[in-house]
């Protein structure tokens, strides 16, 4: 990003992890898209995703099925994951090879119509 354009602070990994902590609880999983740094090869992406999830499970003493990997998108260097353990999002956001995380569910971003008149 150029020096003139700054991303909104609400999309920083820490802010996303904070929102996910508030909405995630046992039985109420959340899904995220995890974007990896450019140094990670697209060919290595599936193995790297498994490595990250296995490391998170081990470091947080979670059962093997507590974090589920979804689709892997090689062109975006990202993968989706879901879990109902809020601490996972903080831990994953702090990993060196992770560029950013975003919630999979996003609010409607379509513009709202203006100057709408009632039809008689």
């Amino acid at each position: 990003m150029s020096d003139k354009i700054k991303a909104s602070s609400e999309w920083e990994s820490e802010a996303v992890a904070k929102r996910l902590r508030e909405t995630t609880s046992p039985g109420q999983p959340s899904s995220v898209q995890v974007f990896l740094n450019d140094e990670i090869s697209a060919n290595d992406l599936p193995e790297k995703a498994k490595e990250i999830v296995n490391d998170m499970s081990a470091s947080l003493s979670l059962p093997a099925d507590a974090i589920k990997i979804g689709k892997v998108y090689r062109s975006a260097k990202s993968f989706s994951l879901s879990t109902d353990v809020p601490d996972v999002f903080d831990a994953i956001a702090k990993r060196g090879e992770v560029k950013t995380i975003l919630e999979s569910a996003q609010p409607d971003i379509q513009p709202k119509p203006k100057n709408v008149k009632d039809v008689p």
Side-chain angles (χ1 to χ4, degrees):
M1 237 180 249
S2 73
D3 293 335
K4 295 178 184 178
I5 300 173
K6 297 283 185 188
S8 171
S9 61
E10 73 180 80
W11 299 116
E12 292 178 3
S13 295
E14 295 81 20
V16 173
K18 181 180 177 187
R19 287 193 302 271
L20 289 165
R21 266 194 314 277
E22 295 168 359
T23 59
T24 306
S25 61
Q28 295 287 344
S30 291
S31 297
V32 295
Q33 195 70 26
V34 179
F35 294 88
L36 301 180
N37 290 326
D38 294 334
E39 294 82 32
I40 308 296
S41 166
N43 293 330
D44 297 336
L45 197 59
E47 294 79 25
K48 191 56 142 174
K50 289 178 189 173
E51 176 188 324
I52 290 170
V53 167
N54 290 338
D55 288 352
M56 292 296 100
S57 294
S59 68
L60 297 172
S61 301
L62 299 173
D65 63 343
I67 306 171
K68 295 176 180 69
I69 297 177
K71 290 188 176 184
V72 175
Y73 300 94
R74 291 175 194 250
S75 60
K77 290 193 179 177
S78 71
F79 63 95
S80 61
L81 68 84
S82 63
T83 184
D84 60 358
V85 181
D87 294 339
V88 169
F89 303 117
D90 290 322
I92 220 152
K94 293 177 182 171
R95 289 191 58 108
E97 63 265 70
V98 173
K99 186 187 292 188
T100 192
I101 62 172
L102 293 175
E103 298 106 323
S104 293
Q106 292 292 324
D108 186 10
I109 59 172
Q110 298 295 321
K112 304 288 185 241
K114 291 184 173 186
N115 302 324
V116 176
K117 297 177 183 174
D118 292 331
V119 177

